[in-house]
């Protein structure tokens, strides 16, 4: 609504005021009042048919049947009335006016857990001053009973400028206003500026986006006067903020002030009686804010932007897995900056409720208490995982074997955590609040039946392939960006408005005309955008693609699966069209099934498929076009420096992790190589050609996940292909490792490194054995790195980065697939280094 901003700025600019006073020109002031009227009407009502009430008086009601039955605060910011919270489900609520706020606008609800019907439900203020919310005309769902006598002075329900809905009566003895009840005393999940948070109030999160009923996360004042966040689940409850390992004083809290009151004020300063204070990142007046207990267990402060969206301006928890209760028992929470938060069952356990992670995972074996002999169970070491709480016993200064013994002696013991440094042993009766943490000193030893153990020591838990990606967890970062951009926009508008305000009346007229036409066009423009977005992935006709590629004239790539051409789609978008080799194709149904599966994969490090064509013997796939071509081209052109190289390695690993773990079907790439890693205009890597191995070979033996033929490219192929072993995600890890080593050394693993042997013969050594040879002995790191790196790469050589890349690369190309890390572990190792560096900076 920048035109509002602009017009109001113009209206209040001193020059306009002066012109107004000096000229007293009738026509000019007419123009100004037109402009003012336009602005007011635009701000306040898009739907002029609805009638807004200012207050509700004794003996009247608001009905769900009448959309105009809405109470509005005098400043127009808040509305109170029936708000839809589901299919034919309404809550009596207070929300930010939709002309200011696009979504997540509700700030209070009377009946969040018991929505009412969309017909005949009413909020009634009876003649005694009682407030009733009735469902479908008869059942009382919620009430405020004040039971004044009939002679009581007038009782009214009013929505104040602060968003506080109050029931009050006037004119008792001194004509004062006395509040009988106010919504600010009964918050749901949100606290507004100037709304006191006290010992009597809690904020309770909603169940999920789109489900407002109360969930398990709470903000409250604890008995020791400290403000805390609590997971209060159906079976267990635990405090997770401030961090439970710390004493309140260590978290900067004071336990002695028992007034227990906290307040967020209008400038964005939050102050609590336990000394826990913070300022909003956009500290200042004239911004609407809300402090909300979010569905994901984090407490966040949001600021309302001029584009009607919310931006996060503070949050309690920065490492999302520190929230308790996310994954339920026997599971581990992990967080990745690009993939968001996800859960994985521990080995030996499977997911309990596929639609609700909070129920966690259940064992695939019988309770140890039913076993005749404790020795049929043993332990699986799972490092880097921390499990908070539920220690049923604790031993100090013991050996690992002693600790194992203690656990085996108790049938209730599910495993233990062992701290090698201090030789501490914590026996676990319940395995809860698991999170992945590279810094964690804890080593979890999971108790499993012996027969089960052997299979897990070699194989990854199958449940890690479940799709657990929760998109709402990663929006934070974008919100910050948006906020930033907006500030810039406002700044620019200020300057623009200032310049315009300096112009004479003619200028004002021009702006006014511009505003009017612009606002008319706006709705058309936005609806167009939505249409485009909705179409997305589509089917193309062969003739369309033939035209778009100008009869397949510009070839930009060629691989085993087919040839790639540059195309300009009818929409004007530049695209890459891949024509698949006819020989390898299967039936149309299968093709479509696979293509739509590939079309659903969506990750910033995977190439996006825009559509396909399947007509007769023409099979084509349409992809987004990558400006900078493939990693292979760029490696030979030496087009980037070491930092970019490192980022490309992480990005490609993230894309592969997504393929391996996060999509609905397990997708192996099977042909990871520099030719299949493409770079966009910012040198962001995007993995391409995934899913094709499956697409082109559905009719093969399905035992090995649909692969039987040897596949891949010489130099990048894992030994499993050659020895006809089981094909798993580790084949991609191997190929990835080779790509990383190639990036560092600039040498193609398919060719190897020339080596002059003692007889003067030149023979090619494998890339890996050459690197290992250089590293051998007591050669200092810097020295062997100097030997192996590609010196044609520009920029300062970051020894540490190269060392990490080489270490990861070598680990990935271990001959035994079980010694290779998973792609997720690769991402973690690289990110871990990236973070360290960031912290030092
Ligand atoms: C919201 O969640 C609650 C609790 O799980 C459930 O009973 C209710 O049906 C859900 N409501 C909607 C609209 O999905
Ligand atoms: C918040 O800002 C105010 C005004 O600048 C300052 O006095 C106060 O100390 C700040 N509070 C915190 C917690 O930073
Ligand atoms: C730990 O145990 C060892 C032997 O069991 C003993 O020598 C040592 O003094 C103990 N350390 C402490 C701190 O108790």
């Amino acid at each position: 609504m920048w035109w509002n901003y602009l017009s109001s700025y113009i209206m209040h600019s001193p020059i306009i005021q002066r012109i107004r006073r000096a000229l007293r020109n009738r026509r000019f002031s007419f123009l100004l009042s037109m402009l003012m009227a336009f602005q007011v009407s635009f701000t306040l009502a898009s739907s002029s048919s609805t009638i807004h009430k200012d207050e509700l008086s004794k003996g009247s009601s608001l009905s769900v049947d009448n959309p105009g039955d809405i109470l509005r605060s005098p400043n127009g910011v808040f509305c109170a009335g029936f708000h839809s919270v589901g299919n034919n489900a309404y809550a009596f609520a207070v929300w930010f006016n939709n002309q200011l706020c696009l979504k997540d606008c509700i700030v209070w609800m009377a009946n969040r857990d018991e929505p009412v019907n969309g017909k005949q439900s009413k909020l009634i203020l009876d003649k005694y001053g009682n407030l009733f919310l009735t469902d479908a005309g008869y059942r009382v769902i919620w009430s405020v009973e004040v039971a004044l006598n009939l002679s009581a002075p007038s009782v009214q329900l009013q929505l104040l400028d602060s968003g506080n809905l109050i029931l009050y009566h006037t004119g008792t003895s001194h004509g004062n206003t006395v509040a009988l009840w106010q919504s600010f005393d009964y918050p749901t999940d949100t606290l507004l500026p100037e709304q006191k948070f006290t010992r009597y109030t809690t904020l309770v999160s909603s169940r999920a986006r789109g489900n407002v009923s109360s969930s398990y996360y709470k903000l409250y004042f604890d008995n020791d006067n400290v403000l805390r966040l609590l997971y209060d689940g159906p079976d267990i409850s635990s405090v997770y903020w401030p961090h439970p390992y710390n004493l309140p004083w260590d978290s900067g809290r004071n336990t002695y002030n028992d007034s227990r009151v906290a307040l967020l004020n209008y400038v964005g300063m939050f102050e609590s009686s336990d000394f826990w204070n913070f300022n909003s990142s956009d500290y200042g007046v004239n911004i609407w804010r809300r402090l909300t207990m979010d569905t994901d267990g984090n407490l966040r402060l949001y600021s309302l932007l001029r584009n009607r969206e919310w931006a996060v301006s503070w949050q309690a928890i920065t490492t999302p897995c520190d929230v308790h209760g996310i994954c339920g028992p026997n599971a581990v929470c992990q967080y990745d900056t690009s993939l968001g938060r996800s859960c994985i069952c521990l080995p030996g356990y499977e997911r309990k409720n596929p639609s609700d992670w909070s129920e966690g995972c259940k064992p695939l074996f019988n309770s140890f208490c039913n076993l005749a002999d404790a020795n049929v169970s043993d332990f699986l070491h799972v490092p880097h995982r921390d499990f908070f709480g539920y220690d049923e016993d604790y031993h100090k200064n013991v050996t690992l074997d002693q600790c194992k013994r203690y656990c085996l002696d108790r049938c209730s013991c599910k495993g233990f955590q062992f701290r090698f440094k201090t030789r501490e042993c914590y026996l676990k009766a319940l395995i809860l609040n698991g999170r992945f943490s590279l810094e964690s000193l804890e080593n979890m030893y999971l108790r499993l039946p012996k027969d089960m153990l052997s299979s897990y020591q070699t194989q990854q838990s199958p449940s890690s392939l479940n799709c657990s990606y929760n998109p709402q967890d990663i929006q934070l970062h974008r919100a910050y960006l948006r906020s930033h951009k907006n500030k810039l926009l406002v700044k620019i508008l200020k300057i623009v408005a200032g310049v315009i305000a300096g112009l004479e009346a003619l200028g004002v007229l021009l702006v006014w005309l511009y505003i009017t036409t612009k606002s008319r066009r706006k709705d058309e423009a936005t609806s167009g955008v939505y249409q485009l977005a909705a179409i997305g992935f589509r089917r193309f006709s062969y003739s369309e693609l033939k035209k778009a590629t100008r009869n397949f004239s510009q070839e930009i790539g060629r691989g085993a699966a087919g040839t790639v051409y540059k195309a300009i789609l009818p929409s004007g978008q530049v695209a890459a069209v891949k024509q698949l080799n006819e020989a390898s194709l299967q039936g149309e149904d299968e093709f479509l099934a696979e293509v739509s599966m590939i079309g659903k994969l969506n990750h910033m490090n995977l190439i996006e498929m825009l559509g396909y064509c399947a007509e007769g013997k023409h099979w084509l796939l349409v992809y987004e076009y990558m400006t900078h071509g493939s990693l292979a081209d760029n490696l030979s052109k030496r087009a980037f420096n070491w930092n970019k190289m490192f980022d490309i390695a992480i990005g490609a690993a993230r894309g592969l992790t997504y393929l391996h773990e996060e999509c609905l079907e397990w997708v192996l790439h099977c042909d990871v190589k520099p030719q299949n890693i493409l770079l966009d205009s910012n040198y962001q890597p995007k993995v391409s050609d995934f899913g094709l191995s499956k697409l082109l070979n559905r009719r093969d033996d399905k035992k090995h996940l649909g692969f039987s033929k040897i596949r891949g490219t010489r130099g990048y192929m894992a030994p499993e292909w050659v020895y006809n072993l089981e094909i798993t995600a580790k084949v991609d890890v191997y190929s990835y490792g080779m790509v990383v080593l190639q990036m560092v050394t600039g040498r193609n693993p398919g060719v190897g490194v020339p080596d002059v042997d003692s007889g003067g013969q030149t023979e090619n050594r494998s890339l890996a054995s050459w690197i290992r040879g250089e590293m051998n002995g007591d050669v200092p790191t810097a020295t062997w790195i100097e030997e192996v790196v590609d010196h044609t790469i520009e920029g300062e050589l970051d020894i540490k980065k190269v060392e990490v890349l080489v270490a990861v690369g070598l680990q990935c190309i271990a001959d035994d697939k079980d010694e290779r890390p998973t792609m997720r572990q690769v991402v973690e190792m690289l990110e871990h280094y990236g973070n360290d560096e960031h912290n030092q900076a």
Side-chain angles (χ1 to χ4, degrees):
M1 304 230 290
W2 63 272
W3 52 90
N4 273 335
Y5 190 85
L6 198 61
S7 53
S8 86
Y9 199 87
I10 294 165
M11 289 305 305
H12 296 114
S13 76
I15 293 167
I16 296 295
Q17 301 292 345
R18 214 173 331 132
I19 292 172
R20 216 176 177 178
R21 260 180 274 120
L23 291 180
R24 293 193 184 278
N25 178 329
R26 279 205 168 180
R27 256 204 259 155
F28 184 60
S29 42
F30 169 73
L31 194 63
L32 282 176
S33 48
M34 285 278 289
L35 180 54
M36 196 185 280
F38 168 78
Q39 186 205 351
V40 167
S41 66
F42 211 90
T43 316
L44 292 187
S46 60
S47 50
S48 52
S49 62
T50 58
I51 305 142
H52 300 285
K53 302 184 179 185
D54 287 338
E55 50 192 29
L56 191 67
S57 40
K58 239 164 61 164
S60 53
S61 64
L62 297 176
S63 166
V64 73
D65 299 299
N66 183 358
D69 274 4
I70 286 173
L71 293 181
R72 254 225 333 250
S73 61
N75 61 1
V77 174
F78 293 98
C79 300
F82 287 92
H83 197 292
S84 168
V85 293
N87 193 7
N88 192 36
Y90 287 79
F92 187 75
V94 173
W95 65 91
F96 274 98
N97 190 332
N98 293 111
Q99 270 137 33
L100 301 171
C101 167
L102 215 50
K103 55 177 196 279
D104 300 326
C105 304
I106 298 183
V107 294
W108 178 82
M109 276 166 287
N111 57 323
R112 67 190 300 198
D113 290 317
E114 220 174 334
V116 294
N117 217 287
K119 284 232 160 16
Q120 294 178 15
S121 298
K122 275 188 174 142
L123 182 85
I124 302 165
L125 181 56
D126 76 2
K127 57 186 178 181
Y128 304 101
N130 300 320
L131 207 50
F132 292 106
L133 178 63
T134 63
D135 182 22
Y138 62 100
R139 204 160 57 99
V140 175
I141 295 293
W142 174 86
S143 64
V144 174
E145 288 168 50
V146 293
L148 301 169
N149 59 40
L150 266 179
S151 64
S154 74
V155 175
Q156 261 150 355
L157 185 69
Q158 198 188 354
L159 185 59
L160 304 183
D161 279 348
S162 57
N164 191 4
L165 185 69
I166 68 165
L167 185 68
Y168 70 102
H169 66 126
T170 45
T172 33
S173 48
H174 314 293
N176 299 342
T177 305
V178 179
L180 300 166
W181 172 90
Q182 53 183 343
S183 65
F184 266 20
D185 290 341
Y186 304 90
T188 46
D189 63 353
T190 294
L191 210 61
L192 286 172
E194 301 299 335
Q195 178 175 7
K196 258 189 195 152
F197 190 76
T198 70
R199 67 180 64 205
Y200 306 111
T201 51
T202 50
L203 295 188
V204 179
S205 65
S206 288
R207 186 48 78 96
R209 276 254 151 106
N211 185 341
V212 296
S213 40
S214 326
S215 181
Y216 307 129
Y217 294 108
K218 293 185 176 156
L219 173 75
Y220 73 114
F221 269 112
D222 211 339
N223 289 338
D224 62 354
N225 307 318
V226 171
L227 205 50
R228 291 208 157 89
L229 292 179
L230 170 76
Y231 169 72
D232 192 7
D235 303 320
I236 55 148
S237 69
S238 59
V239 166
Y240 56 92
W241 181 86
H243 202 291
Y245 286 141
N246 297 344
L247 292 171
W249 276 104
D250 297 333
S251 308
R253 307 303 184 88
N254 170 15
T255 55
Y256 299 115
N257 184 342
D258 55 15
S259 60
R260 293 191 202 168
V261 59
L263 187 84
L264 172 70
N265 69 12
Y266 276 114
V267 287
M269 190 194 319
F270 186 95
E271 286 182 298
S272 162
S273 57
D274 71 349
F275 285 11
W276 173 60
N277 305 331
F278 70 85
N279 283 340
S280 162
S281 63
D282 55 2
Y283 185 84
V285 289
N286 282 334
I287 298 174
W288 278 101
R289 299 185 178 86
R290 53 186 276 168
L291 185 70
T292 298
M293 184 71 242
D294 274 332
T295 56
D296 63 356
N298 207 344
L299 180 70
R300 296 190 181 89
L301 181 68
Y302 291 92
S303 301
L304 188 57
L305 307 177
R306 286 191 184 272
N307 66 0
R308 302 197 288 163
E309 307 240 15
W310 294 102
V312 178
S313 40
W314 177 86
Q315 61 179 347
I317 288 176
T318 45
T319 29
C321 285
D322 282 355
V323 174
H324 285 178
I326 305 159
C327 298
N330 310 314
V332 178
C333 172
Q334 51 189 12
Y335 180 76
D336 175 302
T337 43
S338 64
L339 299 176
R341 193 165 74 175
S342 58
C343 302
I344 288 189
C345 287
L346 284 170
Y349 292 82
E350 66 174 1
R351 197 162 170 187
K352 205 164 168 186
N353 177 351
S355 63
D356 185 1
W357 262 114
S358 70
E359 291 184 27
C361 307
K362 59 178 191 243
L364 290 162
F365 49 85
N366 288 326
S367 158
F368 299 114
C369 294
N370 298 339
L371 295 180
D373 177 10
N375 285 326
V376 300
S377 62
D378 207 344
F379 297 93
L380 179 67
H381 181 203
V382 274
H384 300 312
R385 276 136 182 104
D386 187 25
F387 299 86
F388 181 80
Y390 296 90
D391 303 330
E392 70 172 349
D393 203 358
Y394 165 70
H395 299 275
K396 224 169 152 177
N397 196 16
V398 294
T399 64
L400 181 62
D401 281 338
Q402 280 170 312
C403 190
K404 281 183 178 172
R405 204 64 251 162
Y406 286 127
C407 185
L408 289 178
D409 285 347
R410 288 170 183 258
C411 76
S412 59
C413 178
K414 301 251 171 31
F416 61 88
Q417 275 190 238
F418 192 76
R419 207 174 279 188
F420 282 99
K421 250 191 191 152
T422 49
R423 313 214 309 159
E424 285 170 292
C425 164
Y426 303 83
L427 304 186
K428 295 278 182 193
L430 267 177
I431 303 174
L432 273 169
N433 303 321
R435 66 188 180 100
F436 192 92
S437 156
L438 276 175
E439 299 83 50
S440 173
L441 300 172
E442 315 291 345
N443 283 277
M444 181 73 195
Y445 286 83
L446 194 62
R447 187 179 185 184
L448 289 175
K450 264 190 183 144
D451 51 350
M452 195 170 248
L453 201 60
S454 52
S455 67
Y456 279 109
Q457 272 160 345
T458 54
Q459 195 184 309
Q460 231 198 347
S461 157
S463 49
S464 68
L465 305 173
N466 282 349
C467 185
S468 50
Y469 172 49
N470 186 354
Q472 80 196 45
D473 294 333
I474 58 162
Q475 287 174 357
L476 196 63
H477 196 61
R478 290 191 196 140
Y480 274 117
L481 284 179
R482 227 186 266 133
S483 136
H484 197 74
K485 259 193 208 154
N486 199 266
K487 266 188 208 151
L488 188 68
L489 183 66
V490 169
K491 229 183 228 170
I492 292 170
L493 285 178
K494 265 190 190 170
I495 296 166
V496 170
V499 170
I500 292 171
L503 297 176
E504 301 266 327
L506 183 65
V508 176
L509 176 65
L510 284 176
V511 170
W512 178 65
L513 284 174
Y514 179 61
I515 288 168
T516 354
T517 43
K518 180 83 183 176
S519 66
R520 274 202 212 110
R521 277 194 207 134
K522 183 215 161 207
D523 285 345
E524 295 157 29
T526 40
S527 66
V529 168
Y530 277 108
Q531 264 171 17
L532 273 183
I535 295 169
F537 186 72
R538 60 168 283 213
R539 181 180 190 134
F540 292 88
S541 71
Y542 183 67
S543 59
E544 236 178 325
L545 293 184
K546 200 169 164 183
K547 204 170 144 205
T549 56
R550 281 183 290 157
N551 202 14
F552 303 99
S553 55
Q554 198 178 349
E555 183 178 320
I556 51 176
R558 188 181 278 266
T563 313
V564 189
Y565 301 92
K566 187 169 177 178
I568 297 172
L569 299 181
S571 64
Q573 185 177 6
V574 183
V577 171
K578 181 164 208 152
Q579 189 165 35
L580 299 178
N581 294 336
E582 293 154 26
S584 45
L585 291 164
Q586 75 285 66
E588 179 163 353
D589 287 350
E590 288 170 76
F591 176 80
L592 291 185
E594 293 297 342
V595 160
S596 69
M597 195 270 293
I598 300 172
K600 267 184 236 150
L601 302 178
N602 186 356
H603 186 273
M604 63 180 286
N605 295 117
L606 294 181
I607 195 135
E608 190 185 350
M609 194 190 272
L610 305 172
Y612 65 95
C613 163
E615 255 175 47
K617 56 187 170 65
H618 301 300
W619 308 80
L620 301 107
L621 302 172
V622 183
Y623 293 103
E624 59 179 322
Y625 179 76
M626 290 287 121
T627 329
H628 279 126
S630 74
L631 177 60
D633 303 342
N634 285 274
L635 281 175
S636 53
K637 274 191 275 172
R638 313 279 172 243
F640 33 63
N641 60 26
W642 286 107
N643 285 333
K644 276 224 169 91
M645 191 84 96
F646 195 79
D647 292 343
I648 290 169
I650 294 191
R654 284 191 187 127
L656 289 170
T657 305
Y658 180 86
L659 281 184
H660 288 174
E661 292 187 4
E662 303 288 336
C663 20
L664 295 169
E665 265 182 84
W666 194 16
V667 179
L668 300 189
H669 190 293
C670 295
D671 198 10
V672 177
K673 57 182 174 182
Q675 287 77 6
N676 285 336
I677 296 171
L678 305 184
L679 303 172
D680 73 5
S681 51
N682 294 320
Y683 288 96
Q684 268 290 333
K686 295 195 184 219
V687 176
S688 76
D689 264 20
F690 49 86
L692 288 190
S693 41
K694 231 175 156 186
L695 188 65
L696 297 174
N697 236 322
R698 268 306 274 261
R699 288 211 196 107
D700 286 357
D701 172 17
K702 291 193 176 165
K703 238 184 266 160
H704 287 356
L705 295 161
F707 308 105
S708 62
K709 284 192 207 144
I710 289 188
R711 185 176 317 286
T713 304
R714 193 182 134 80
Y716 304 95
M717 254 162 36
E720 291 97 292
W721 294 112
V722 181
Y723 299 111
N724 208 10
L725 301 174
E726 190 195 5
I727 299 305
T728 65
K730 294 292 179 69
V731 301
D732 288 347
V733 176
Y734 184 94
S735 309
Y736 173 84
M738 280 299 182
V739 171
V740 168
L741 295 181
Q742 179 174 1
M743 288 168 75
V744 172
T745 61
R747 293 172 187 272
N748 184 336
V751 178
V753 185
D755 185 34
V756 183
D757 69 15
S758 49
Q761 294 275 14
T762 309
E763 208 178 295
N764 280 0
R765 284 174 84 176
S766 88
L767 186 55
S769 80
W770 172 65
I771 295 176
R772 289 202 184 100
E774 296 292 335
M775 288 169 73
N776 248 347
D778 296 329
V779 189
T781 312
T783 312
W784 67 255
I785 283 181
E786 277 296 321
E787 289 299 321
V788 302
V789 294
D790 180 354
H791 288 284
T792 57
I793 292 176
E794 282 175 26
E796 203 180 326
L797 178 65
D798 182 337
I799 302 266
K800 183 77 193 161
K801 268 188 179 158
V802 176
E803 193 185 355
V804 170
L805 285 174
V806 170
V808 168
L810 288 177
Q811 242 179 310
C812 289
I813 60 164
D815 283 338
D816 181 352
K817 71 174 167 47
D818 298 326
E819 284 174 22
R820 298 174 207 151
T822 61
M823 281 319 299
R824 176 176 288 284
Q825 284 163 337
V826 169
V827 172
E828 275 154 6
M829 288 187 276
L830 296 179
E831 270 187 349
H832 188 62
Y833 171 67
N835 287 344
D836 276 1
E837 186 199 41
H838 195 250
N839 291 344
Q840 284 160 12

